């Protein structure tokens, strides 16, 4: 934080995430037991500000438009739902630190790790304020018997370990697999077509003469020329369209199996006698 934040200055201030999105207004301020400095705030969200989410002040700073925190709106909305009753238990603190990926603070010599809430009262930070301002007391010792239990639970938390493993994330992408070309070429082939043709032939027709009518006829030689005609095939060629072709693509879906190597962590416990127990 750029400067020391005073709890009374934070109440009802706007809370802004790194993208400039306003998350809501500060409802309560929680102090660290060791330093008595603001460590958590609750942000009032919802239509009428009825919901409160815990937001860390680690790395935060104040500006004219409010308190700028280092966590975004999504992280705040997914934060564990904890009742803002003026006190954070060890389990609740551990949930919040784990959710925001923050390291757990070290405990004090007497084993306490309590946060104290700052409320809405109009008075100062006096721990002996009246009933309407009791939530403002940031230096009180909390609930009876909580300090002794806090140390034990915190020591248990130090013995926890998180196991992680890799998982395959399979998707698809479109790649170029080849080219297809449509080409036409010329082929010469022999064709035979039968066509009817006609021709003229000479034929002698004889007709007897029954009435010569006294016509005088002389015997001699005579010749007559007749022209004969015939049809013959004439070949010519023309180009005509006979067929049209085009290229089209269609999508075919098929199943493919992919595989890959992934790593995962395993737990192993070793005691003083070098005995191993895996789980």
């Amino acid at each position: 934080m750029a400067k020391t934040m005073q709890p009374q200055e934070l109440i009802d201030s706007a809370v802004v995430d790194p993208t400039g999105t306003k998350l809501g207004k500060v409802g309560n301020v929680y102090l660290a037991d060791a330093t008595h400095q603001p460590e958590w705030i609750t942000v009032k969200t919802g239509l009428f500000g009825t919901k409160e989410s815990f937001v860390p002040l680690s790395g935060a700073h104040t500006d004219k438009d409010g308190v700028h925190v280092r966590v975004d709106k999504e992280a705040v909305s997914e934060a564990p739902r904890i009742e803002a009753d003026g006190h954070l238990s060890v389990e609740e603190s551990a949930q919040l630190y784990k959710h925001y990926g923050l390291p757990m603070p070290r405990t004090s010599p007497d084993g306490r790790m309590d946060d104290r809430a700052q409320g809405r009262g109009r008075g100062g930070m006096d721990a002996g304020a009246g009933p309407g301002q009791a939530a403002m007391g940031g230096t009180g010792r909390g609930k009876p018997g909580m300090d002794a239990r806090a140390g034990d639970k915190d020591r248990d938390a130090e013995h926890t370990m998180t196991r992680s493993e890799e998982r395959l994330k399979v998707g698809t992408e479109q790649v170029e697999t080849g080219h297809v070309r449509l080409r036409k070429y010329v082929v010469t082939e022999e064709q035979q077509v039968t066509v009817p043709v006609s021709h003229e032939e000479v034929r002698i027709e004889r007709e007897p003469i029954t009435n010569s009518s006294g016509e005088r006829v002389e015997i001699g030689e005579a010749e007559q020329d007749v022209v004969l005609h015939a049809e013959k095939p004439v070949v010519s060629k023309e180009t005509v369209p006979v067929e049209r072709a085009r290229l089209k693509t269609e999508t075919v879906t098929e199943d493919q199996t992919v595989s890959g190597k992934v790593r995962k962590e395993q737990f192993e416990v070793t005691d003083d006698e070098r005995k191993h127990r895996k789980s």
Side-chain angles (χ1 to χ4, degrees), residues 12-25:
D12 283 334
S13 298
V15 182
V16 185
D17 74 354
T19 63
T21 303
K22 290 187 177 181
L23 307 179
K25 290 186 177 182

Side-chain angles (χ1 to χ4, degrees), residues 9-265:
E9 297 177 355
L10 298 177
I11 300 298
D12 283 334
S13 298
V15 182
V16 185
D17 74 354
T19 63
T21 303
K22 290 187 177 181
L23 307 179
K25 290 186 177 182
V26 177
N28 294 299
V29 182
Y30 283 69
L31 302 182
D33 185 69
T35 62
H36 303 295
Q37 295 299 325
E39 189 170 12
W40 296 93
I41 58 175
T42 62
V43 179
K44 296 179 291 185
T45 60
L47 184 59
F48 301 102
T50 55
K51 297 181 180 179
E52 290 192 67
S53 300
F54 281 82
V55 177
L57 287 176
S58 175
H61 68 277
T62 58
D63 208 336
K64 294 180 181 180
D65 56 348
V67 183
H68 289 253
V69 295
R70 297 181 62 181
V71 295
D72 56 19
K73 183 177 182 180
E74 182 178 358
V76 174
S77 62
E78 295 178 355
R81 292 300 176 188
I82 298 175
E83 187 68 24
D85 57 358
H87 179 271
L88 279 178
S89 67
V90 177
E91 293 85 353
E92 293 170 339
S93 297
Q95 291 180 24
L96 292 173
Y97 280 115
K98 182 178 180 181
H99 170 73
Y100 288 111
L102 299 175
M104 290 283 292
R106 296 181 179 179
T107 58
S108 57
D110 58 0
R112 289 180 284 103
M113 192 183 66
D114 295 341
D115 292 339
R116 300 294 180 258
Q118 299 297 323
R120 295 176 165 278
R122 299 179 182 177
M125 297 299 293
D126 186 3
Q133 302 168 6
M136 292 291 292
T139 59
R141 293 300 179 185
K143 299 178 181 179
M146 181 61 70
D147 293 339
R149 294 193 300 270
D152 295 336
K153 294 178 180 178
D154 184 50
R155 284 191 291 272
D156 293 339
E158 293 179 355
H159 298 158
T160 62
M161 183 180 296
T162 301
R163 187 179 70 84
S164 304
E165 65 181 20
E166 296 177 338
R167 295 182 178 179
L168 289 180
K169 295 179 65 177
V170 181
T172 60
E173 65 174 349
Q174 196 167 39
V175 297
E176 188 176 289
T177 57
H179 295 270
V180 177
R181 297 178 181 87
L182 179 62
R183 187 172 66 89
K184 68 177 182 178
Y185 56 93
V186 177
V187 176
T188 302
E189 62 182 8
E190 188 76 20
Q191 284 190 353
Q192 291 184 351
V193 179
T194 301
V195 57
V197 294
S198 60
H199 64 277
E200 296 177 343
E201 294 181 354
V202 176
R203 185 178 60 193
I204 299 176
E205 294 183 355
R206 300 176 185 272
E207 181 181 353
I209 300 175
T210 58
N211 186 11
S212 61
S213 63
E215 183 178 353
R216 185 178 179 179
V217 178
E218 293 182 0
I219 297 176
E221 295 181 356
E223 182 177 305
Q224 188 173 7
D225 186 29
V226 177
V227 178
L228 300 178
H229 298 84
E231 294 179 339
K232 67 177 181 177
V234 178
V235 179
S236 64
K237 294 182 289 186
E238 63 175 344
T239 303
V240 296
V242 294
E243 188 179 15
R244 180 178 289 108
R246 65 171 61 91
L247 288 178
K248 293 182 63 178
T249 62
E250 62 180 6
T251 301
V252 179
T253 302
E254 60 183 9
D255 293 331
Q256 288 189 358
T257 302
V258 297
S259 62
K261 294 183 179 180
V262 296
R263 300 176 301 166
K264 64 179 180 179
E265 301 169 342

